[in-house]
Amino acid sequence: MTTVVDGHELAAGLRADVAERVDRLVAAGVRPGLGTVLMSDDDADRSYVERKREACEAVGVAGTHLTVDPAAPTGRLLDRVDALNDDPSVHGVFVQLPLPDHVDTLRVRSRVDPAKDVDGLHPTNRGLLAAGEPRVVPATPRAVRHVLSTAGVETRGARAVVVGRSAVVGRPTASLLVDADATVTVCHSRTADLAAETRRADVLVTSAGVPGLVDGSMLSPGVAVVDAGLSRVPADTERGYEVVGDVAFESAREVADVVTPVPGGVGPLTVAMLLDNVVRAASARAGVALD
Ligand SMILES: NC(=O)c1ccc[n+]([C@@H]2O[C@H](COP(=O)([O-])OP(=O)(O)OC[C@H]3O[C@@H](n4cnc5c(N)ncnc54)[C@H](OP(=O)(O)O)[C@@H]3O)[C@@H](O)[C@H]2O)c1
């Protein structure tokens, strides 16, 4: 019997837990705050930031949401990041990616105060994670780990395959799986024979952003599949598109023991994990122990 992970249900549990810790922080005189910066006219990017804003409101996290004209120079974005770094009511700073081509993304990531880096993308935090001493873990890899642990997937000694090697998803997910005692292979667009790699997987995590990249014929029976890919494809819907993952869900479901749907899998959990990172940053800054 295949387990289809309900990301909304998992996210609701996590949000309730976050809301309870927010209440305890507020009682101790600290309202956790998230600052976001959007430098994009893209509808999808706007809606991702909007979802974060709504999610903050729902759990009592204060929000400061700034925008920068996508044509503005890098300095304008750095000024906004500095303002959030300096604002004591902001405990977490999140810059929506991707940034316009003319902006040096590494420079922006490096500018975020590492103690407020709830995205886990400051070079210091990335280095600590890669070294097996994580301080802040990016939200999507945390969501992937949460899915695997709540579904009871054994990672110790498992062969794990991660498709995608980005700083945001693929690499940190691979680091977490190494730390969870899996033997990890990382695939990317130059991987010679993707199907041969995915068929070896006991645990498969996809984050390529390529609809239908992996189907059931590329999986071995019993695999746990976590699909972090999100793509908008044109569709005859009210919005004119639908959101799909990297995995052909129905054919994967025939083979896998555990599978996440898209939408409704990793996505909702990612937002909840970001809020959790904000609460952790706020409690660390305020010196209020919550665990
Ligand atoms: N669920 C969530 O909350 C969440 C959060 C963040 C991102 N995402 C989604 O996750 C996906 C990846 O995001 P990202 O920021 O990591 O994207 P990215 O920076 O574009 O990275 C995509 C990765 O996939 C690899 N790839 C592309 N085509 C491939 C192919 N045909 N075969 C094997 N590997 C291939 C790329 O290889 P190269 O390195 O060789 O180019 C790259 O490493 C997107 O769909 C994004 O929307 C979801």
Side-chain angles (χ1 to χ4, degrees):
M1 180 74 179
T2 305
T3 300
V4 177
V5 174
D6 185 340
H8 289 296
E9 189 184 316
L10 291 182
L14 198 60
R15 278 197 306 270
D17 185 50
V18 168
E20 186 266 328
R21 282 178 290 142
V22 169
D23 287 346
R24 281 159 60 199
L25 277 171
V26 170
V30 184
R31 164 85 53 196
L34 173 67
T36 64
V37 191
L38 173 66
M39 190 180 189
S40 170
D41 283 335
D42 182 73
D43 278 350
D45 292 336
R46 276 181 213 266
S47 78
Y48 293 146
V49 172
E50 179 64 16
R51 248 199 288 158
K52 288 174 186 97
R53 197 183 62 72
E54 290 167 2
C56 282
E57 272 178 23
V59 295
V61 168
T64 305
H65 304 287
L66 307 179
T67 55
V68 181
D69 183 335
T74 303
R76 189 90 54 82
L77 175 56
L78 295 176
D79 288 346
R80 297 286 194 281
V81 171
D82 288 344
L84 294 172
N85 282 343
D86 294 341
D87 184 339
S89 72
V90 171
H91 302 93
V93 175
F94 180 93
V95 179
Q96 182 65 44
L97 299 175
L99 293 167
D101 288 345
H102 69 277
V103 175
D104 179 347
T105 300
L106 181 58
R107 201 169 155 215
V108 176
R109 285 178 181 158
S110 307
R111 191 69 159 245
V112 173
D113 177 346
K116 294 191 176 187
D117 173 35
V118 285
D119 221 6
L121 293 177
H122 187 284
T124 299
N125 289 327
R126 288 174 61 188
L128 286 168
L129 177 58
E133 295 167 34
R135 187 165 61 187
V136 188
V137 179
T140 304
R142 281 196 70 199
V144 170
R145 182 173 63 185
H146 192 66
V147 165
L148 292 172
S149 67
T150 52
V153 174
E154 178 61 85
T155 51
R156 179 171 300 168
R159 281 168 305 208
V161 174
V162 178
V163 182
R165 56 176 164 179
S166 74
V168 185
V169 191
R171 286 171 198 258
T173 300
S175 293
L176 288 183
L177 287 164
V178 168
D179 289 347
D181 296 328
T183 302
V184 182
T185 301
V186 178
C187 302
H188 44 76
S189 66
R190 305 303 165 120
T191 296
D193 186 348
L194 184 64
E197 304 298 340
T198 58
R199 278 192 202 108
R200 275 196 278 271
D202 303 309
V203 175
L204 176 69
V205 181
T206 59
S207 61
V210 180
L213 181 64
V214 174
D215 65 23
S217 73
M218 298 165 68
L219 304 172
S220 291
V223 63
V225 180
V226 183
D227 186 356
L230 288 178
S231 305
R232 287 182 173 191
V233 296
D236 190 16
T237 63
E238 202 178 313
R239 293 182 295 187
Y241 65 86
E242 63 182 359
V243 176
V244 298
D246 293 339
V247 176
F249 179 78
E250 289 304 333
S251 72
R253 185 184 191 161
E254 301 287 309
V255 188
D257 267 7
V258 175
V259 64
T260 60
V262 178
V266 173
L269 265 175
T270 295
V271 179
M273 286 296 179
L274 178 70
L275 296 175
D276 187 71
N277 279 348
V278 176
V279 169
R280 284 167 186 247
S283 73
R285 177 148 296 220
V288 178
L290 293 175
D291 294 324

